[in-house]
Amino acid sequence: MSANALVSTALLVSLITVPQMTHADTYTAKDLRIAIPVTAEERNQTLYEMRELLHALFFINSALSNKDFKAMIAQAKPVGPLLNKFPDSMKARLPEEFVQLGYGLHEAFDNLVRNAQDHQNLALSLRDQSDILTYCSGCHDMYRFEVRTNISNK
């Protein structure tokens, strides 16, 4: 399945699972996301890396708001390799579609850097950043980490 098809599927799932409010304090949505079994340590490490990704996106956006492509590239370049740092213990348990979304996200960051270096075009960089966020939201819409104590690799 292509990365674009995965993202489209993820967005469709998100529309289905968005909480439907019937009363101010009542949620009717069920969590239909695919559970990925992880240890507490794996979850903590992965969430730390996701926060680092969010920090990078903040600084990228800040640099773009100043049309500072040099600073934006400096913030975006190190993110690609960060995406390869999933704990080895987890890699065998990751669904193939999850892995493909990760590769797509990696490629989207590479595109952001490449396009900024080649074109220094604000609109293009914002579109590239939007692509990145689509992968983020698509993955979060489709998957969740479920901490388990007894985990074996495939």
Side-chain angles (χ1 to χ4, degrees):
M1 184 180 280
S2 74
N4 286 338
L6 288 170
V7 171
S8 297
T9 302
L11 291 174
L12 180 60
V13 169
S14 72
L15 293 174
I16 294 169
T17 59
V18 170
Q20 303 297 316
M21 299 302 293
T22 58
H23 184 268
D25 298 323
T26 306
Y27 292 92
T28 58
K30 294 182 180 174
D31 191 351
L32 302 175
R33 296 175 298 160
I34 298 167
I36 298 175
V38 294
T39 65
E41 294 82 10
E42 291 168 341
R43 180 180 181 275
N44 290 342
Q45 180 64 33
T46 304
L47 292 178
Y48 168 78
E49 291 168 8
M50 287 180 190
R51 288 189 300 274
E52 290 300 306
L53 181 64
L54 282 173
H55 296 150
L57 286 169
F58 168 79
F59 288 114
I60 289 167
N61 195 55
S62 180
L64 286 175
S65 73
N66 294 312
K67 297 182 182 177
D68 185 347
F69 288 93
K70 185 176 178 180
M72 188 276 292
I73 292 166
Q75 291 297 323
K77 244 184 182 177
V79 175
L82 177 68
L83 300 172
N84 294 324
K85 288 190 167 188
F86 263 95
D88 288 336
S89 58
M90 269 181 73
K91 288 180 182 176
R93 286 181 265 117
L94 296 175
E96 180 60 29
E97 295 82 6
F98 181 92
V99 172
Q100 291 303 315
L101 283 170
Y103 287 139
L105 180 61
H106 177 88
E107 186 178 314
F109 267 99
D110 289 346
N111 286 338
L112 174 69
V113 171
R114 186 175 37 258
N115 286 336
Q117 289 170 330
D118 294 347
H119 305 291
Q120 295 198 3
N121 179 295
L122 181 61
L124 179 58
S125 292
L126 289 172
R127 275 193 299 273
D128 288 341
Q129 188 174 9
S130 180
D131 289 345
I132 290 167
L133 291 169
T134 300
Y135 282 100
C136 295
S137 63
C139 193
H140 282 271
D141 288 343
M142 291 210 31
Y143 299 99
R144 64 184 168 84
F145 290 132
E146 186 173 287
V147 175
R148 296 185 187 163
T149 55
N150 188 8
I151 293 181
S152 65
N153 292 328
K154 287 183 181 178

